[in-house]
Amino acid sequence: MDSANQKNGGFAKLLDWINKLGKFKDEVVNIAKETKKIGKDDPRRIIHAAKVGLALTLVSLFYYFKPLYDGFGQAGMWAVLTVVVVFEFSVGGTLCKCINRGCATLLAGALGIGAEYLAELTGKTGEPIMLGFFVFILATGSTFARFFPYLKRRYDYGILIFILTFSLVTVSGYRVEEIIELAHQRLSTIIIGAATCMIVSLFICPVWAGQDLHILVASNMEKVASFLEGFGDEYFHLPQGEVDDANTSKEGKLFLQAYKSVLGSKASEETLANAAWWEPGHGSFRFRDPCNQYLKVGALTRQCAYHIETLVSGYTNSNKQAQTEFHKIIQEPYSKMSSEAGKLLLELSSAIKNMTHPSSIVENHLHNMKSAIDDLKSVLQTSNHSNNNNKSNLLDIIPILAVGSILIDIIHSVEKVSEAVHELSNLGHFKKMEKQKSTTTFAPEKIQQKLHKGIVQPVNDNADMDVDHVVIEIRDTSKEIIHQENNGDTNKKQGQQQVEV
Amino acid sequence: MDSANQKNGGFAKLLDWINKLGKFKDEVVNIAKETKKIGKDDPRRIIHAAKVGLALTLVSLFYYFKPLYDGFGQAGMWAVLTVVVVFEFSVGGTLCKCINRGCATLLAGALGIGAEYLAELTGKTGEPIMLGFFVFILATGSTFARFFPYLKRRYDYGILIFILTFSLVTVSGYRVEEIIELAHQRLSTIIIGAATCMIVSLFICPVWAGQDLHILVASNMEKVASFLEGFGDEYFHLPQGEVDDANTSKEGKLFLQAYKSVLGSKASEETLANAAWWEPGHGSFRFRDPCNQYLKVGALTRQCAYHIETLVSGYTNSNKQAQTEFHKIIQEPYSKMSSEAGKLLLELSSAIKNMTHPSSIVENHLHNMKSAIDDLKSVLQTSNHSNNNNKSNLLDIIPILAVGSILIDIIHSVEKVSEAVHELSNLGHFKKMEKQKSTTTFAPEKIQQKLHKGIVQPVNDNADMDVDHVVIEIRDTSKEIIHQENNGDTNKKQGQQQVEV
């Protein structure tokens, strides 16, 4: 029995051990998967890690080899320290820290020498008291200065290094001459470290914060746009109640969730804008990036996302009943409002991405958006007057009407986005598109606008067709063309309907 | 003429100089004003600055006095460096950096010695190559590890210090025995610096991140609540168009803008929650703060703020026409919905602030909120059937109906907030209110709830009165009492109306 027990015990232990090994293997596999995902999401991360390794190895070896070591002595380690602390993901972040560190060290070193000199004058007993007093006053004042929003945004790291260097210099216990020698050494090693970082950061696959901001703003617009484009189909083709389940279960509906990440993007946009402030002109960004305008476009896009959030919770909260008669009446204007707003945003987003002036198609979508609102109004008016008796209870249609009202709000926000993007394209000196120019001579924007302002005329239909033609030229994915063509059809249908009204 | 010109020139220069002096004075006054404002907004900032000054002075003097200086040598400066870099505003932030720094130094030091030992084995020529290789691999790997969200949140600073210490140890050029001596010195000075920071941070006016999170979440709820409480008056008492102007011009309307800061509060809530993770139990927070639940409540509150944003842009965008007949019909239910939601949130917020279980008044407001929705429905039903001819065009009332629909969404969100706060009060072991208990024996919550679920009965009116009585006992500002009493009156009125319907 005992031996059997022992055997069993041994067997159990073995099983346990295999089990643990399996779990450990799972853990390793999970980590490997996550590592792969993080690298795949943004391959620049792998390059960044290698860049840090390279800069650090360069500085380390530079410092390790005897001749240099003898030259700089222990101060050489400041070069290593500088590289580790200063190297950031973006060029702007790295430059910000390098410049802050250099200037702060210089300033604090000079002040520290002055303080040391003053303290020496007071004699042996007075010196530590004076030094302690200086350190306290400067550290307290500088720490408080870090709470000023403007200083925090630009010079937070500089102030930190200022306090650090000043304290180190004043309490080093050296005489003034020795300190000057030390300060010289420290400054030169910091410059070596900072220069290494700047060179590696600038010349090996640079990551520009300004460009990241540019891409972030454009992709946020795209996320909102893809929601708006898909919303009409989603809202009308599915029975109302299933929308929410569909979002979570089907992968294809993920685009309806993408806008959620826009809601909380304010902080990352501001961080990028702060880093971008330090970056020199580069690539297509010849002039200082109009960061503030990007932030404005970003904020307006976020406004759309807030409205979408309300839209979604409105229609998921609404009672899950079958589609009413009324549903069918407003389907067309709603779908048009939403999809036109989406297409407009997509157009604006691609204008930002390609750094071109928004094409005349934008004007067209703007017009379509507004005419969709008019369509809705006339549809409602008609339904109000003619089939008042047929019409379902006011109570049942409130959630549906609310969706319309929020769609109108979204359209107003999208209009503001459009204005801001136009301003951005001027401030950023975006290039004009050639293909657009050729269209412009054919059907000038302003004339088109004037035409659109009046009631629908036959000329309008032609203008619509011209613009649709341009779309097909510019965007070449077949899916897009189908989309746009379908849209062209609905436009015409809508136009006819409006004439009928 | 020349002398006159010269005189004029001199005079102009003097004027210019006085002008510049004046501008400089203005600048100084402005800075002084901003300084005062920053200090007044949060006086803990001044205390924090003084705490940093104190810790730094202590460590500096400790390092300056000869006996200690001889003991630790140059390594003593690491104590100063540690204090400057590690001291954060909150206890949690400081502890996080101290622990990260200590552990990372220990680990990297040990690994560095191992690497140095291995490299020494390869001989004079192989050593720098091996060391460079080690530094590159470790720096690259660790830098990449900083992109893992979990590591970034908790151990970002530790990884940085790990890279730093490893590089410094391996390239120091010392033999292994010397390094052990150096590592010992560095570790003990870092411990001195970190200990000073921790003691000053913990025992002199500690700033708890957990408490800040607690206050932030509660005050965000308050901001949303004050908007909702004021919204009804604002929406109905002013002609629609003037609402926006009033917001910007009158100081008294500032509470209608306060909710805007809630929209972008996600980042600060998460930072505080991360710092709070490191804090030990303190004060009334005996157990680990249920940070995640706070984040959940915060997120749900933000959801309300998103809806409010849509609400505001909806009614500022709507056509600025005189109040319609319809406006008057829905005034009462709208005002009640909004103000009850506001009062409920205020009650929940004060429950969080006082760390008590939400009182039974919450149930009451929850009931009132729901009954306000029912009121609205019956009002709409009546208006739909009876005065269909009188009723204005569907088109005109869409924005008004949309406001109602969004208010319903807000109420649903507030209900979720209420659930989350109840959960929080359980997780956080909030104390039960004694006064509430006495009411509970008088009119038990569950019975009350059951009563409320049915149609309005005379018993209900009594229960309402009881609860109002409790309110007067708990909250003692006279304004609150008036508010609550008024509410009691409207409750009764509403109840009567409902019976009439």
Side-chain angles (χ1 to χ4, degrees), chain A residues 44 89-93 154 207-217 220 265-279 289 291 294-295:
Chain A
R44 296 177 306 171
F89 188 62
S90 69
V91 174
R154 298 249 184 277
V207 175
W208 302 101
Q211 207 157 24
D212 273 12
L213 176 64
H214 173 92
I215 291 165
L216 179 64
V217 168
N220 277 351
S265 59
K266 196 187 173 199
S268 40
E269 277 175 16
E270 279 175 0
T271 310
L272 286 174
N274 284 339
W277 190 84
W278 293 92
E279 288 174 356
D289 285 344
C291 287
Y294 275 110
L295 288 182

Side-chain angles (χ1 to χ4, degrees), chain A residues 365-428:
Chain A
H365 286 308
L366 263 174
H367 163 73
N368 285 345
M369 234 166 51
K370 281 175 195 163
S371 81
I373 297 182
D374 292 337
D375 286 0
L376 175 64
K377 281 180 184 167
S378 50
V379 162
L380 287 177
Q381 219 146 17
T382 328
S383 85
N384 204 36
H385 289 301
S386 62
N387 44 349
N388 218 344
N389 306 326
N390 257 347
K391 200 190 69 195
S392 44
N393 197 307
L394 190 58
L395 215 58
D396 294 334
I397 61 171
I398 286 182
I400 310 170
L401 289 177
V403 165
S405 174
I406 297 171
L407 279 177
I408 293 174
D409 288 345
I410 290 176
I411 285 179
H412 287 301
S413 299
V414 169
E415 278 179 278
K416 281 183 202 158
V417 172
S418 162
E419 279 164 32
V421 171
H422 275 93
E423 210 174 314
L424 176 67
S425 70
N426 287 329
L427 286 172

Side-chain angles (χ1 to χ4, degrees), chain A residues 71-84:
Chain A
F72 289 119
Q74 273 290 318
M77 71 171 207
W78 287 104
V80 174
L81 210 149
T82 302
V83 170
V84 175

Side-chain angles (χ1 to χ4, degrees), chain A residues 143-372:
Chain A
T143 306
F144 188 73
R146 290 175 73 189
F147 288 113
F148 283 78
Y150 175 73
L151 294 177
K152 177 141 200 92
R153 207 162 51 233
R154 298 249 184 277
Y155 308 110
D156 193 54
Y157 185 66
I159 299 175
L160 193 80
I161 295 298
F162 178 78
I163 305 174
L164 176 63
T165 309
F166 182 81
S167 317
L168 284 183
V169 169
T170 45
V171 302
S172 63
Y174 290 116
R175 323 217 127 260
V176 171
E177 307 87 67
E178 286 173 313
I179 288 179
I180 291 177
E181 174 62 26
L182 189 79
H184 167 73
Q185 276 184 2
R186 265 208 64 183
L187 203 63
S188 37
T189 44
I190 284 179
I191 287 171
I192 289 171
T196 312
C197 286
M198 288 200 271
I199 290 166
V200 172
S201 177
L202 267 167
F203 296 108
I204 304 177
C205 310
V207 175
W208 302 101
Q211 207 157 24
D212 273 12
L213 176 64
H214 173 92
I215 291 165
L216 179 64
V217 168
S219 79
N220 277 351
M221 283 169 74
E222 226 174 68
K223 282 173 190 168
V224 171
S226 72
F227 177 91
L228 288 174
E229 280 200 308
F231 175 72
D233 292 346
E234 201 57 33
Y235 185 59
F236 291 109
H237 291 177
L238 276 179
Q240 259 183 295
E242 288 176 28
V243 173
D244 196 30
D245 302 331
N247 279 349
T248 45
S249 62
K250 284 182 205 167
E251 282 176 32
K253 309 290 176 189
L254 265 180
F255 71 93
L256 287 176
Q257 294 284 312
Y259 80 91
K260 281 203 185 275
S261 72
V262 181
L263 296 172
S265 59
K266 196 187 173 199
S268 40
E269 277 175 16
E270 279 175 0
T271 310
L272 286 174
N274 284 339
W277 190 84
W278 293 92
E279 288 174 356
H282 53 86
S284 31
F285 294 88
R286 283 274 165 249
F287 307 93
R288 168 140 299 178
D289 285 344
C291 287
N292 287 331
Q293 193 61 26
Y294 275 110
L295 288 182
K296 198 177 158 191
V297 174
L300 289 169
T301 310
R302 216 156 25 248
Q303 195 81 19
C304 295
Y306 295 153
H307 294 333
I308 289 177
E309 184 76 3
T310 306
L311 195 67
V312 169
S313 76
Y315 79 75
T316 45
N317 280 340
S318 64
N319 55 350
K320 330 276 188 204
Q321 253 143 41
Q323 304 205 351
T324 57
E325 195 60 26
F326 187 72
H327 234 99
K328 280 168 201 155
I329 299 173
I330 45 82
Q331 168 160 4
E332 210 158 287
Y334 275 22
S335 295
K336 195 181 163 196
M337 278 158 77
S338 159
S339 74
E340 285 295 327
K343 276 172 199 158
L344 173 55
L345 268 184
L346 203 63
E347 207 55 55
L348 292 172
S349 141
S350 78
I352 291 187
K353 265 195 182 153
N354 305 325
M355 302 195 75
T356 55
H357 277 276
S359 64
S360 56
I361 306 155
V362 164
E363 299 298 331
N364 199 38
H365 286 308
L366 263 174
H367 163 73
N368 285 345
M369 234 166 51
K370 281 175 195 163
S371 81

Side-chain angles (χ1 to χ4, degrees), chain A residues 31 34-35 38-39 45-46 48-54 56-57 60-61 63-66 69 74 77-78 80-82 84-85 87-89 116 127-129 131-133 135-136 139-141 143-144 146-150 160-161 163-164 167-168 170-174 260 263-264 266-267 303 306-311 313-315 317 326 376-378 380-381 383-385 388 391-395 397-399 401-402 404-406 408-409 412-413 416, chain B residues 31 34-35 38-39 45-46 48-54 56-57 60-61 63-66 69 74 77-78 80-82 84-85 87-89 116 127-129 131-133 135-136 139-141 143-144 146-150 160-161 163-164 167-168 170-174 260 263-264 266-267 303 306-311 313-315 317 326 376-378 380-381 383-385 388 391-395 397-399 401-402 404-406 408-409 412-413 416:
Chain A
I31 291 174
E34 212 189 328
T35 310
I38 288 170
R45 288 171 176 167
I46 303 168
H48 169 71
K51 276 159 72 182
V52 173
L54 177 69
L56 201 54
T57 313
S60 296
L61 292 183
Y63 168 51
Y64 186 79
F65 283 116
K66 277 286 169 200
Y69 182 68
Q74 273 290 318
M77 71 171 207
W78 287 104
V80 174
L81 210 149
T82 302
V84 175
V85 178
F87 212 117
E88 293 279 316
F89 188 62
E116 183 80 27
E127 203 180 336
I129 298 168
L131 285 179
F133 178 73
V135 168
F136 181 79
T140 304
T143 306
F144 188 73
R146 290 175 73 189
F147 288 113
F148 283 78
Y150 175 73
L160 193 80
I161 295 298
I163 305 174
L164 176 63
S167 317
L168 284 183
T170 45
V171 302
S172 63
Y174 290 116
K260 281 203 185 275
L263 296 172
K266 196 187 173 199
Q303 195 81 19
Y306 295 153
H307 294 333
I308 289 177
E309 184 76 3
T310 306
L311 195 67
S313 76
Y315 79 75
N317 280 340
F326 187 72
L376 175 64
K377 281 180 184 167
S378 50
L380 287 177
Q381 219 146 17
S383 85
N384 204 36
H385 289 301
N388 218 344
K391 200 190 69 195
S392 44
N393 197 307
L394 190 58
L395 215 58
I397 61 171
I398 286 182
L401 289 177
S405 174
I406 297 171
I408 293 174
D409 288 345
H412 287 301
S413 299
K416 281 183 202 158
Chain B
I31 291 175
E34 212 190 328
T35 310
I38 288 170
R45 287 170 177 167
I46 302 168
H48 169 70
K51 276 158 73 182
V52 174
L54 177 69
L56 200 54
T57 313
S60 296
L61 292 183
Y63 169 49
Y64 186 78
F65 284 116
K66 276 287 171 199
Y69 183 68
Q74 274 291 319
M77 71 170 206
W78 287 104
V80 174
L81 210 148
T82 303
V84 175
V85 178
F87 213 117
E88 293 280 317
F89 188 63
E116 184 78 29
E127 203 180 338
I129 297 168
L131 286 178
F133 177 73
V135 168
F136 181 78
T140 305
T143 306
F144 188 75
R146 289 175 73 190
F147 287 112
F148 284 76
Y150 175 74
L160 192 81
I161 295 299
I163 305 173
L164 175 63
S167 317
L168 284 183
T170 45
V171 302
S172 64
Y174 289 116
K260 282 206 184 273
L263 296 171
K266 195 185 173 200
Q303 194 81 17
Y306 295 153
H307 293 335
I308 289 177
E309 184 76 4
T310 306
L311 194 68
S313 76
Y315 80 75
N317 279 341
F326 187 71
L376 175 64
K377 281 180 183 166
S378 50
L380 287 177
Q381 218 147 16
S383 87
N384 204 37
H385 289 303
N388 220 342
K391 202 190 69 196
S392 45
N393 195 308
L394 190 57
L395 215 57
I397 60 170
I398 287 182
L401 289 177
S405 173
I406 297 172
I408 292 174
D409 289 344
H412 287 302
S413 299
K416 280 183 203 157

